[in-house]
Amino acid sequence: MIHTYNITGMTCGGCRSNVENALNAINGIEATVTLQPPVATITMEKHVPITELQEVLKTVGDYTITVGNPNIKTSESPKSKSCCGGHKM
C-alpha cells in the first residue's frame, strides 16, 4: 500500500531527514519525505495507523503528520520549533 501524508513543522533539510529516518525506522515501512511540498510518501507492507506514525515523529521533533493530498498546498506557516530551533537531534 502506498499512502501520502502531509507533514508540518519541517523547516530545513535536517528536519526532512529526521522525519524520513524516523518513519523508515518503523518495521514494514519505506518512506520518502520531501520538503517542498512537505509530504511523506509511505509504502507499507501492512497498514500502520497514523497515530503510530505521529508517535514516532514526536520522538524526533515537533512534527505533525496528517492524511493529505500532495497537490494541495497548506497555508500553515512552519512551527517555531524544528531541528534547527533547539530540538534534540
Side-chain angles (χ1 to χ4, degrees):
M1 296 177 264
I2 298 175
H3 298 279
T4 302
Y5 299 92
N6 292 328
I7 307 289
T8 55
M10 296 188 301
T11 59
C12 67
C15 293
R16 186 210 61 80
S17 181
N18 285 343
V19 169
E20 187 171 87
N21 291 338
L23 293 172
N24 280 316
I26 299 171
N27 191 25
I29 282 185
E30 183 178 324
T32 301
V33 179
T34 60
L35 194 55
Q36 290 298 325
V39 168
T41 303
I42 301 175
T43 302
M44 302 177 187
E45 293 175 6
K46 62 180 181 159
H47 179 70
V48 176
I50 195 167
T51 53
E52 183 177 336
L53 302 176
Q54 182 61 63
E55 287 300 315
V56 168
L57 292 183
K58 281 183 185 179
T59 66
V60 296
D62 194 14
Y63 308 113
T64 303
I65 187 167
T66 57
V67 176
N69 180 337
N71 298 320
I72 298 174
K73 294 185 178 181
T74 60
S75 60
E76 182 180 335
S77 60
K79 295 183 179 183
S80 59
K81 293 182 180 179
S82 72
C83 69
C84 310
H87 275 299
K88 296 180 221 173
M89 295 293 253

